[in-house]
Every structure is written in C-alpha cells, then in structure tokens.
Amino acid sequence: MIGERLCKALNDQIKNELESYYIYLSMAAYFHSLSLDGMGQWMRCQAHEEMIHATKFFDHIIDRGGKVVLQDVKQLKTEWSSPLEAFRDAYEHEKFITGKINELTTIAREEKDYASEPILAWFSDEQIEEEASTGKIADELEMVGEDKSGLLLIDRELGTRTYPPGSPFDPAAASGE
Ligand code: FEO
C-alpha cells in the first residue's frame, strides 16, 4: 500500500498534469484563432497526452490502495504575443514538470516505495521527449523570425502529428466519422 506522503505528492502531480492538459488546450485555441491549424492540431495531441499522464497517476494511486483527491486547476493564460512565445512557455512548462517528476522520484526513494519506480522511470523518459519536442519547435520558430512562409511551413509540419487511437480530441472521432 502506498504511504501518505507519496500519495499526497502523486495527487499533486495529477493536478499538474491536468493543468498541463488545460494549458495546451488553451494554446490550441490560441493557434486556431490565428488560423495556424497545424499548431492547433499539435497542441490538441499534446493535450491528449497530458490527460493520459494524469490518468496514469490516477490509476497508480488506486492500484496501490491510495485515495485520489482531485484539486482545483488554476486559471490560465489564454493569449500569447506570438507562436514563439507560446512554444517557449510550453518548453518552460515541460522543464517545470521534469522538476516535479524528479521530486517524486526522490520522495519515492526516501519512502522506499520501490513499486513506484517503474512509473516514475517511464515519466523521466517521457520528459526527455517532452522537453526535446517543445524546445526544438521554439528553436525553429526563433530561426524563421518574421518570415511568414517559414511560419506556415512549420505549421504544416506540426499539423501532421496524429492523435492516439480513439482520442476524443480528434474531430473525426467526435463527429462519428
Ligand atoms: Fe505530462 Fe508534458 O508532461
């Protein structure tokens, strides 16, 4: 059975993952408002991944005999000055989440909760990818600067990201097609 200290920290992480979901969905709305639908699609896919992350912690707590206690999700930023600023925010947010996963790993080790090691190792690996993808896109946007054709090229490329099967965020799935 999971101890009280780690259970509390994992519940806090569910909140962090749900806030990540909300942040990326908010960024998707921002990109769609600019008709940058490829970036909007990329952010919807990212939001879906965050919901999966929250659910992984949700299920882990339940499987270990703990109690899930959902928390308020904080008010979010809804506007950015540019696509570059949004992706820079995403990169900074992923670095924040990496720090949280590291804290959880430290707590699990201090509590000798070896059963949490596999899921936290999975998240450590995942954070390498999350930081790399958001950081790379921010770098590319910085490179194109004010060049609109470069921006559209990145938008087209990001629009090729696909949803995990059955995602409710996939407009095709939502319309029953
Ligand atoms: Fe669940 Fe993007 O960290």
Side-chain angles (χ1 to χ4, degrees), residues 6-129:
L6 184 58
C7 187
K8 161 82 174 64
L10 290 171
N11 266 301
D12 290 346
Q13 190 58 22
I14 291 176
K15 177 184 76 82
N16 292 332
E17 300 291 348
L18 290 175
E19 281 182 350
S20 303
Y21 159 73
Y22 218 39
I23 287 167
Y24 294 132
L25 202 57
S26 192
M27 287 182 180
Y30 164 71
F31 285 124
H32 285 304
S33 78
L34 298 179
S35 295
L36 290 168
D37 292 337
M39 293 185 191
Q41 157 99 358
W42 195 95
M43 283 297 175
R44 283 170 182 243
C45 293
Q46 187 70 17
H48 177 89
E49 282 202 2
E50 300 303 347
M51 188 60 82
I52 292 172
H53 293 173
T55 305
K56 278 181 183 283
F57 284 119
F58 186 100
D59 287 338
H60 183 68
I61 291 173
I62 291 170
D63 290 346
R64 301 287 314 288
K67 182 161 191 255
V68 170
V69 182
L70 294 180
Q71 304 172 29
D72 286 349
V73 175
K74 72 172 181 246
Q75 178 63 40
L76 294 169
K77 194 168 164 177
T78 54
E79 280 298 327
W80 288 266
S81 63
S82 65
L84 174 58
E85 189 197 39
F87 272 97
R88 271 192 187 138
D89 273 9
Y91 178 53
E92 290 305 317
H93 182 71
E94 289 306 332
K95 288 198 287 185
F96 164 77
I97 293 293
T98 299
K100 291 295 174 189
I101 299 297
N102 290 343
E103 283 175 21
L104 285 169
T105 303
T106 300
I107 293 171
R109 286 179 185 168
E110 286 173 357
E111 299 293 314
K112 296 188 171 31
D113 192 304
Y114 303 117
S116 290
E117 281 187 7
I119 188 174
L120 292 172
W122 184 90
F123 272 98
S124 284
D125 283 346
E126 179 73 2
Q127 282 312 118
I128 294 172
E129 187 189 314

Side-chain angles (χ1 to χ4, degrees), residues 44 163 166-177:
R44 283 170 182 243
Y163 295 95
S167 168
F169 301 115
D170 184 346
S175 66
E177 289 167 14

Side-chain angles (χ1 to χ4, degrees), residues 144 146-154:
V144 300
E146 297 300 312
D147 175 8
K148 295 279 187 263
S149 57
L151 181 69
L152 288 175
L153 206 62
I154 294 172

